[in-house]
Amino acid sequence: GEDVEQSLFLSVREGDSSVINCTYTDSSSTYLYWYKQEPGAGLQLLTYIFSNMDMKQDQRLTVLLNKKDKHLSLRIADTQTGDSAIYFCAERTPLVFGKGTRLSVIA
Amino acid sequence: DVKVTQSSRYLVKRTGEKVFLECVQDMDHENMFWYRQDPGLGLRLIYFSYDVKMKEKGDIPEGYSVSREKKERFSLILESASTNQTSMYLCASKKGGLAQSYEQYFGPGTRLTVT
């Protein structure tokens, strides 16, 4: 099976919340990451969470970690059209990425 | 600001050609990585290096080699390009020990087409 799994597509209306989910396999990962890729660009680190945390909030972003189920989620509040991108969940060192979730925001 | 640059944004090569993709970082990072990105497959690690002249195979090293003669430069080499190597290639670098949590910085990518 896949090391890191994500759904491939998510579509939301502007102003709604977006939730992108990820499952991972390596319980020894110290950090788990969310990267964002805008069209035509490389990846940029959005946020990360230390494995002994359950939640991390950073402005409109909330990361939730369920270590028991190896489940990670990224919530974007008040989603804007500028949030349209591909979001990658990643674990381990060197980083292992999921296939990416393409977020489309409808105005 | 950390900058990771890649020699070309777009490259078209013929089957059988030897292809060099160059990556340079300007922040004295110890670790450098090469990934390829394909639709529906995400990013897959080809090779990485944690020091000058050191290299480690990633998940899909077949058909590729790398060179790291200087700390700031990491080259990906396709010895004999094939059509299944048509892809987006992303270089990245990271400071510090490989296991530390420092951010991995990515270049803009090179879209390689092999005809």
Side-chain angles (χ1 to χ4, degrees):
Chain A
E2 297 289 332
D3 290 317
V4 181
E5 292 192 5
Q6 304 177 236
S7 54
L8 294 183
F9 300 99
L10 177 64
S11 182
V12 300
R13 292 197 175 278
E14 193 174 19
D16 287 351
S17 291
S18 307
V19 179
I20 302 171
N21 294 301
C22 167
T23 56
Y24 62 95
T25 58
D26 189 352
S27 57
S28 67
S29 291
T30 306
Y31 293 89
L32 293 147
Y33 303 84
W34 284 104
Y35 276 78
K36 177 182 180 182
Q37 185 180 34
E38 296 183 350
L43 276 70
Q44 185 174 14
L45 181 66
L46 198 58
T47 186
Y48 65 91
I49 186 166
F50 189 48
S51 59
N52 70 353
M53 297 171 65
D54 298 324
M55 184 179 87
K56 180 180 178 182
Q57 189 147 5
D58 182 4
Q59 298 182 330
R60 293 190 297 120
L61 305 178
T62 304
V63 179
L64 296 177
L65 176 59
N66 180 331
K67 282 196 75 174
K68 176 175 167 291
D69 295 335
K70 296 193 184 75
H71 184 266
L72 184 72
S73 68
L74 173 70
R75 179 177 180 269
I76 305 172
D78 186 25
T79 312
Q80 303 297 307
T81 54
D83 295 323
S84 294
I86 303 175
Y87 292 81
F88 292 92
C89 171
E91 62 165 353
R92 299 195 203 165
T93 299
L95 289 178
V96 174
F97 290 86
K99 292 180 179 179
T101 300
R102 183 180 294 275
L103 174 64
S104 298
V105 182
I106 305 163
Chain B
D1 274 353
V2 174
K3 203 164 189 181
V4 179
T5 56
Q6 295 182 229
S7 49
S8 307
R9 289 302 303 271
Y10 300 94
L11 209 52
V12 179
K13 295 291 182 181
R14 292 194 180 277
T15 302
E17 278 192 82
K18 190 169 186 175
V19 181
F20 293 86
L21 302 182
E22 306 286 344
C23 175
V24 176
Q25 49 93 5
D26 66 358
M27 284 302 289
D28 202 37
H29 284 176
E30 289 79 7
N31 307 292
M32 297 187 75
F33 309 84
W34 275 107
Y35 293 86
R36 64 177 281 177
Q37 181 178 12
D38 300 287
L41 296 177
L43 276 78
R44 293 178 291 168
L45 181 66
I46 305 171
Y47 268 97
F48 64 100
S49 168
Y50 52 87
D51 202 351
V52 175
K53 296 193 186 294
M54 305 303 289
K55 61 184 179 184
E56 295 284 343
K57 291 180 180 179
D59 298 319
I60 51 162
E62 297 79 19
Y64 303 95
S65 62
V66 290
S67 172
R68 192 154 179 217
E69 296 296 317
K70 293 185 177 181
K71 193 174 186 181
E72 68 270 18
R73 187 180 297 270
F74 192 34
S75 303
L76 180 69
I77 304 155
L78 287 67
E79 294 290 341
S80 177
S82 63
T83 54
N84 64 11
Q85 292 178 309
T86 292
S87 186
M88 171 70 86
Y89 289 87
L90 291 165
C91 174
S93 72
K94 188 168 89 95
K95 178 181 166 58
L98 203 55
Q100 293 172 343
S101 69
Y102 295 105
E103 178 176 352
Q104 209 162 288
Y105 294 85
F106 281 83
T110 296
R111 186 168 293 282
L112 172 68
T113 302
V114 182
T115 61

